[in-house]
Amino acid sequence: MSLFQKMKKAKISVKNRPSTIPDQVLDGQSKLSASLKETESLIKNVLGKNDDFQVKHFKIFGQYQAAMFYFTNLVNQDHVNKDILRPLMYVPEHLISKEKPLNQLIDIIMHETLYHGQAMVEKSLDKLIAVLLRGETVIFVDGLTEAIHVSTREVEHRSVTQPETEQVILGPREGFIENIDTNIAMLRYRLPTADFQVRTMEIGRLTKSTVCYCYIKGVTNEKVITEVENRLSAIDIDAIMDAGYLEQFIEDNHFTPFPQIQTTERPDKTVANLVEGRVAILVDGSPFALLVPVVFNQFYQTAEDYASRFLMGTFARFARVLALVFSLIFPSLYVSLIAFNPELLPTEFAVAVAGGRAGVPYPAVVEVLIIEISMEILREATVRLPRQVGGALSIVGVLVVGQAAVEAGLASPITVVVIALTTIGSFATPAYTAAFALRMLRFPIMILAGIFGLYGVMIGIILTFNHLLNLKSFGVPYMAPVSPGSSQGMKDVVTRSPLWSMSKRPSFLQPANRKRHEQDDNKQ
């Protein structure tokens, strides 16, 4: 089998993207008319009644009738006035004695008049309307079948702040924002190399969302780049509101709780993955980047692991792996030991547990499921409430409700402790999507434990590992470098080896250039 799985037949073909403006509105007229009055009437008919749509009539050099079209809420008005209107309405000194015939007017404006570096000439009316809707300013001249569009877009956005979902003690404090230009600038700031490539496309019939995929030329495997481009090009949907929309279209397996694409709002983490040979996908309007391909061990690693000394990073990562396993099977082990194999517990502990559960009216598996579901509801309520109220709710829910449940005989103290420790363990997983997958899997494993005891726990673990071994992310085995094994890759799985010892990029990504640096053999 080839490295990269072929996409489903329905998704391989790139659909013909519809024109920006419906044909029935333009009556099939895509080329620009030489009549300014006709063009203005057609554009107003297409856009309808919009109070923020502005049409400014003026004379270029005091001689030629022209009109400027823009949306007031999408442009920088100072740029429109100073960089476009002023130089076009007043004849520059070097052009006062020079003839300015109509057939040369576009060249004179573009090369000798405009004070703006991002100006282009366009003949297609539907493309002009498309750039107009994106926030650019379009200039039409009566008698010409060409128009000029100038980039004057300025949309308010929040400033660069510390990432909310990926907190670190050591490392940079800046995160992506919703503006894609700012996000790309933060990547270029860290990768000042000509090999850093950015490719842009539009996805969404209505939103026309700008989507960029980035990679490092000469490092990333060309097959990965081609696969990413094919999957993105095959998306045909009316709106893309966030990077998560794309994730659902381009992932390999849609029926698994485990994420096959990593999301991050950290530019430093994105650059680190690009350097390893991955592709980053950015969406205008989303503060998250998508990283592909990914493997399972990425979801319990943090940027802080590499910013700190390797002993600290290894210890922290080992603690996270233990917490991951703990959060997945601890409730199931508790149920199986209490309900089926109490003889495996020390006598004193078994007596204490039995005494605590003396007044509980239902089996251990039902008790654990009730407390676990209650905890999930509490967690969801805490997330959705305002920050000032959410903290108070979590304290009330854990302390008051938990204590009341124990005193009322609805739950035993040991059960509350087990679920609390399990919840704390799930918080240690850095990636929210991976932690959510583990939370989902806890329930079927608990049910298996309630039916078959320790055999059910083992069945659940075996099925989970079998599923993980069959997953792929853009053709890359999900459990690499554990399976298939790689001695170089194993240096960065459970432990974090010194940076000087990891001289090669991950082999499972099949990078075009595997060497990171020359290994120093004198290091001990």
Side-chain angles (χ1 to χ4, degrees):
M1 183 179 292
S2 61
L3 175 63
F4 301 97
Q5 293 180 329
K6 293 184 177 181
M7 301 175 63
K8 293 181 180 179
K9 190 174 181 180
K11 295 179 64 179
I12 290 179
S13 61
V14 179
K15 296 183 173 68
N16 294 325
R17 302 199 181 277
S19 174
T20 303
I21 309 302
D23 289 339
Q24 62 269 25
V25 178
L26 287 177
D27 296 325
Q29 300 178 16
S30 180
K31 293 185 178 180
L32 187 63
S33 171
S35 170
L36 178 60
K37 185 176 181 180
E38 181 182 340
T39 300
E40 180 179 347
S41 175
L42 185 57
I43 291 178
K44 287 183 176 179
N45 182 43
V46 170
L47 298 180
K49 294 182 179 180
N50 290 286
D51 294 336
D52 61 337
F53 180 62
Q54 181 71 35
V55 180
K56 169 66 178 176
H57 291 273
F58 65 101
K59 286 189 176 182
I60 296 180
F61 306 143
Q63 183 177 356
Y64 299 106
Q65 288 288 344
M68 185 168 59
F69 298 73
Y70 60 90
F71 284 92
T72 56
N73 296 326
L74 292 178
V75 302
N76 185 315
Q77 193 64 54
D78 288 339
H79 289 172
V80 172
N81 294 337
K82 296 178 181 179
D83 299 339
I84 301 177
L85 271 180
R86 179 180 292 178
L88 290 182
M89 293 181 69
Y90 298 98
V91 182
E93 293 184 3
H94 66 283
L95 294 178
I96 293 178
S97 58
K98 183 179 178 180
E99 279 192 42
K100 298 172 280 296
L102 183 62
N103 60 352
Q104 299 179 13
L105 187 61
I106 293 294
D107 288 336
I108 294 174
I109 292 174
M110 291 292 294
H111 302 134
E112 301 184 58
T113 308
L114 276 183
Y115 299 160
H116 205 289
Q118 292 181 302
M120 297 183 65
V121 179
E122 182 58 59
K123 295 182 179 181
S124 173
L125 183 58
D126 57 350
K127 291 182 180 179
L128 288 169
I129 295 177
V131 299
L132 184 65
L133 291 168
R134 284 200 297 264
E136 297 192 19
T137 298
V138 181
I139 304 163
F140 297 95
V141 182
D142 192 26
L144 295 180
T145 57
E146 294 179 320
I148 300 172
H149 61 93
V150 185
S151 178
T152 54
R153 178 178 177 176
E154 184 177 83
V155 180
E156 292 295 329
H157 54 79
R158 65 185 175 95
S159 59
V160 177
T161 57
Q162 185 170 343
E164 293 290 336
T165 60
E166 296 175 276
Q167 301 284 346
V168 295
I169 298 175
L170 301 176
R173 293 291 192 273
E174 61 183 7
F176 288 130
I177 63 173
E178 286 73 14
N179 186 279
I180 194 172
D181 295 328
T182 304
N183 296 341
I184 294 176
M186 285 191 282
L187 295 180
R188 285 207 176 274
Y189 165 72
R190 287 173 169 79
L191 284 171
T193 171
D195 292 329
F196 176 55
Q197 305 287 308
V198 178
R199 298 288 182 265
T200 305
M201 62 176 64
E202 283 186 358
I203 301 178
R205 295 192 299 269
L206 298 179
T207 58
K208 300 291 177 185
S209 302
T210 301
V211 176
C212 295
Y213 60 97
C214 316
Y215 60 93
I216 298 180
K217 185 179 179 181
V219 173
T220 307
N221 192 308
E222 289 293 335
K223 293 181 180 179
V224 176
I225 300 170
T226 303
E227 186 73 5
V228 170
E229 182 178 3
N230 289 341
R231 296 193 187 191
L232 290 176
S233 300
I235 298 174
D236 184 20
I237 191 175
D238 56 355
I240 295 292
M241 308 303 298
D242 185 75
Y245 282 57
L246 294 182
E247 180 181 3
Q248 298 174 64
F249 278 94
I250 65 177
E251 62 184 357
D252 290 63
N253 189 331
H254 304 290
F255 303 100
T256 176
F258 293 99
Q260 301 137 76
I261 297 171
Q262 188 172 31
T263 60
T264 180
E265 55 178 335
R266 297 188 62 87
D268 59 320
K269 185 175 181 178
T270 304
V271 170
N273 280 272
L274 289 173
V275 170
E276 284 192 340
R278 293 183 175 87
V279 177
I281 303 171
L282 303 173
V283 181
D284 196 15
S286 174
F288 290 93
L290 303 179
L291 304 176
V292 295
V294 297
V295 291
F296 180 72
N297 68 74
Q298 286 182 241
F299 294 102
Y300 57 80
Q301 299 174 354
T302 67
E304 194 173 8
D305 292 350
Y306 304 93
S308 57
R309 298 174 66 245
F310 79 94
L311 289 176
M312 298 170 56
T314 297
F315 180 81
R317 185 176 294 179
F318 189 69
R320 278 186 231 115
V321 173
L322 286 179
L324 183 149
V325 176
F326 196 76
S327 65
L328 177 63
I329 66 173
F330 191 42
S332 306
L333 286 176
Y334 169 73
V335 169
S336 59
L337 290 174
I338 295 300
F340 288 88
N341 302 99
E343 69 277 3
L344 298 178
L345 299 173
T347 304
E348 294 82 359
F349 183 69
V351 171
V353 172
R357 296 200 68 254
V360 178
Y362 28 71
V365 63
V366 177
E367 178 190 8
V368 172
L369 285 173
I370 290 175
I371 301 299
E372 187 69 64
I373 292 172
S374 301
M375 187 62 71
E376 292 296 327
I377 294 173
L378 176 63
R379 189 203 304 254
E380 187 67 17
T382 304
V383 171
R384 303 306 162 195
L385 282 174
R387 183 176 301 177
Q388 296 81 355
V389 184
L393 175 65
S394 62
I395 295 173
V396 171
V398 173
L399 296 181
V400 178
V401 177
Q403 184 64 28
V406 171
E407 293 181 356
L410 299 176
S412 63
I414 185 63
T415 302
V416 175
V417 172
V418 168
I419 299 302
L421 291 176
T422 303
T423 304
I424 294 172
S426 67
F427 288 144
T429 303
Y432 172 79
T433 51
F436 194 88
L438 298 176
R439 286 159 54 190
M440 290 177 61
L441 288 174
R442 276 207 298 265
F443 291 95
I445 296 179
M446 275 190 286
I447 294 173
L448 287 172
I451 298 173
F452 303 107
L454 287 175
Y455 292 107
V457 176
M458 293 307 301
I459 290 172
I461 294 175
I462 291 171
L463 290 176
T464 301
F465 270 101
N466 184 65
H467 177 67
L468 288 171
L469 291 170
N470 281 282
L471 285 179
K472 291 180 182 292
S473 174
F474 281 72
V476 173
Y478 198 58
M479 291 301 291
V482 178
S483 177
S486 168
S487 58
Q488 182 72 20
M490 288 299 294
K491 295 180 179 180
D492 193 27
V493 181
V494 178
T495 61
R496 203 280 278 173
S497 300
L499 294 179
W500 49 261
S501 70
M502 296 188 290
S503 59
K504 295 183 179 180
R505 295 183 173 88
S507 59
F508 53 82
L509 294 176
Q510 296 192 1
N513 178 9
R514 285 204 61 195
K515 186 176 290 187
R516 279 172 165 162
H517 60 82
E518 296 293 340
Q519 185 173 357
D520 187 355
D521 295 329
N522 295 323
K523 293 283 187 180
Q524 298 296 329

